Amino acid sequence: MVVSYRTLNRYATTELGFGQRKTTVRVADCDPGAEVQVDFGRLGLLADAADGRRRVVQGPIFTAVYSRHMFVFPTYRQTLNKVIAWFEAARAFFAGVFAVVIPDNMKSIVDKADATDPKLNDAFREYAQARGFAVDPPRVRSNPESNAVFPT
């Protein structure tokens, strides 16, 4: 029997499951409003309105764990005052505060990233307590002091 490649591919896909992804381990999602992940990244180049030169725009990306809704706040700097402004803007966007915030070990929030005992910035910890959310920094993969690798 002679058939085209497309016919053979269609048969192998529908009847034999060829090329389909296998189911991976499912992660149990939290309840709505329970967790938000905050990653800080480079967003691109943008002309600065103040002086007209192109500058690197960075920003936090707030991702609600349950719904996967995202909030992005473009900025040029990552200071503690800016971080608190981002969290206030995200609180307004999501219409409330999440119970747990998982930041991306931002230097303005986490003074010392550690696999077992991370140190939070005192001012940000006080802000979190005033707003009523817990901060759970992610574990680091390695400890630069010992060069030991830790599982995440």
Side-chain angles (χ1 to χ4, degrees), residues 23-73:
T23 303
T24 60
V25 176
R26 302 229 184 247
V27 176
D29 282 332
C30 59
D31 294 329
E35 289 182 3
V36 65
Q37 294 179 352
V38 184
D39 295 321
F40 191 81
R42 181 182 168 148
L43 302 176
L45 292 172
L46 188 65
D48 190 353
D51 58 10
R53 60 187 180 118
R54 292 171 51 96
R55 295 181 57 189
V56 173
V57 178
Q58 301 172 334
I61 303 165
F62 293 80
T63 306
V65 173
Y66 181 80
S67 67
R68 306 294 192 257
H69 281 95
M70 298 174 82
F71 173 73
V72 179
F73 196 98

Side-chain angles (χ1 to χ4, degrees), residues 4-18:
S4 68
Y5 176 78
R6 177 68 189 124
T7 301
L8 176 62
N9 186 291
R10 188 172 46 241
Y11 172 79
T13 301
T14 56
E15 299 297 323
L16 305 174
F18 175 76

Side-chain angles (χ1 to χ4, degrees), residues 1-136:
M1 174 185 302
V2 176
V3 295
S4 68
Y5 176 78
R6 177 68 189 124
T7 301
L8 176 62
N9 186 291
R10 188 172 46 241
Y11 172 79
T13 301
T14 56
E15 299 297 323
L16 305 174
F18 175 76
Q20 297 176 355
R21 292 185 177 176
K22 305 289 184 215
T23 303
T24 60
V25 176
R26 302 229 184 247
V27 176
D29 282 332
C30 59
D31 294 329
E35 289 182 3
V36 65
Q37 294 179 352
V38 184
D39 295 321
F40 191 81
R42 181 182 168 148
L43 302 176
L45 292 172
L46 188 65
D48 190 353
D51 58 10
R53 60 187 180 118
R54 292 171 51 96
R55 295 181 57 189
V56 173
V57 178
Q58 301 172 334
I61 303 165
F62 293 80
T63 306
V65 173
Y66 181 80
S67 67
R68 306 294 192 257
H69 281 95
M70 298 174 82
F71 173 73
V72 179
F73 196 98
T75 186
Y76 293 117
R77 304 197 60 206
Q78 185 187 145
T79 63
L80 181 60
N81 290 337
K82 293 279 187 187
V83 170
I84 291 173
W86 304 337
F87 274 83
E88 288 298 308
R91 183 173 68 93
F93 175 80
F94 289 114
V97 175
F98 288 86
V100 177
V101 172
I102 304 169
D104 184 24
N105 285 327
M106 291 182 240
K107 293 201 182 287
S108 50
I109 294 176
V110 181
D111 285 341
K112 180 182 175 217
D114 187 75
T116 57
D117 189 26
K119 303 292 182 210
L120 294 176
N121 179 303
D122 290 336
F124 188 79
R125 185 175 45 250
E126 290 174 6
Y127 166 74
Q129 289 171 350
R131 285 292 181 221
F133 64 86
V135 180
D136 185 16

